[in-house]
Amino acid sequence: MINPTRSIPQAWGIVLSAAGDLYVTSRSSNAVYRVSIATGDPTLVTRSNLIQGPIGLDLLDEGHLVVASYLNDELVSVDVADGTQTSLDGGQGVNEPWAVATRGADVFVTGYDSKLIQRLTDGNLVELARAPGFPYGLDVAPDGSFVCASTGVADSIDRYDAQGNRVATFSGGLLKQVAGVAVSRFALCGLSIVCPPDIVADTCDPAG
C-alpha cells in the first residue's frame, strides 16, 4: 500500500510520470496531489479554482497534467511545478468530463451523461463516438485508436479506430463495472519466420 494513512479522500484519478512521480485527484477536496512512492506521503499540487470535482487525469507533457473537472465541465491543464491552472477547452461543451487520456497534443475525454468520446486538438473539440454506457475508463494507443470501458445498460470494453469507428467489443463473464483501462504505449513489430531451403539426404536403404 502506497498511501497507508488514506489521507487522500475520494481518490479517483491516478497517473505515474516518467520521472516516477505519482499524481492523484481527490474529488471531495477539489485537489491534485503528488504522492511519494517511497513514503506514501502526499503533497498538494493544486486545489479548487478551475478544478471542481476532479475525476480523471493524465500527463499532458513533462511538466503538465490534464484534469477532467466534472462539476464545472472543464478540462484543466495543471503545471506540476507551481500548480498554475489553465482551461484547455474554453467552454466548448465538454459535458461532465470523466475519463481523460492523451496522445501527443491530443486530449481524449469522455462525457458522463452524454456518453460522448471527444478529442481536443489545439483548442478544437471533435466528437468521435458515443459509448454504449457510462464511459468510466479511457486510454489511447500509439496509432490514435482508443479503448473505452463503459457500464450501465451493458458492461463492456470497446475498441475504436482513430476515426471513432467501433471495431471490437468485449463483454460478459467477469467483466463488470470496469472503472479504468490502459493500453500498451508500445507498438509491437510484426513477427517474421524464415525457413531454410529443403534438405536432401541420401540413404543406403533400397526402400528409401
Side-chain angles (χ1 to χ4, degrees):
M1 182 178 292
I2 294 176
N3 184 237
T5 61
R6 300 181 182 178
S7 54
I8 301 178
Q10 292 191 343
W12 284 75
I14 185 169
V15 67
L16 182 66
S17 74
D21 293 317
L22 187 69
Y23 295 95
V24 180
T25 58
S26 171
R27 182 175 178 180
S28 61
S29 298
N30 295 324
V32 178
Y33 292 92
R34 182 189 294 109
V35 179
S36 168
I37 298 295
T39 66
D41 294 330
T43 302
L44 180 67
V45 175
T46 193
R47 171 176 281 147
S48 300
N49 193 13
L50 295 176
I51 294 179
Q52 302 295 324
I55 304 292
L57 84 162
D58 203 357
L59 299 168
L60 192 59
D61 55 43
E62 290 185 4
H64 297 83
L65 302 168
V66 57
V67 179
S69 183
Y70 174 78
L71 293 179
N72 60 339
D73 301 333
E74 286 274 8
L75 283 175
V76 182
S77 168
V78 174
D79 188 317
V80 298
D82 60 15
T84 300
Q85 302 175 17
T86 306
S87 175
L88 291 178
D89 59 6
Q92 291 187 69
V94 179
N95 182 249
E96 297 179 332
W98 193 273
V100 65
T102 62
R103 185 187 69 92
D106 296 331
V107 178
F108 294 72
V109 61
T110 66
Y112 184 77
D113 275 336
S114 68
K115 302 178 179 63
L116 289 178
I117 304 170
Q118 298 171 291
R119 181 183 63 227
L120 182 71
T121 306
D122 297 328
N124 297 313
L125 193 64
V126 176
E127 179 180 328
L128 295 174
R130 189 179 297 269
F134 299 110
Y136 284 168
L138 180 70
D139 204 6
V140 187
D143 62 0
S145 62
F146 53 96
V147 175
C148 181
S150 58
T151 186
V153 177
D155 299 315
S156 65
I157 297 175
D158 299 282
R159 185 164 62 89
Y160 301 82
D161 64 19
Q163 289 70 47
N165 301 302
R166 190 179 305 156
V167 295
T169 298
F170 309 93
S171 61
L174 298 177
L175 190 63
K176 301 292 182 184
Q177 294 188 333
V178 180
V181 64
V183 298
S184 173
R185 297 292 181 177
F186 303 95
L188 299 179
C189 298
L191 179 64
S192 177
I193 299 176
V194 179
C195 297
D198 293 342
I199 298 174
V200 178
D202 295 326
T203 176
C204 298
D205 187 336

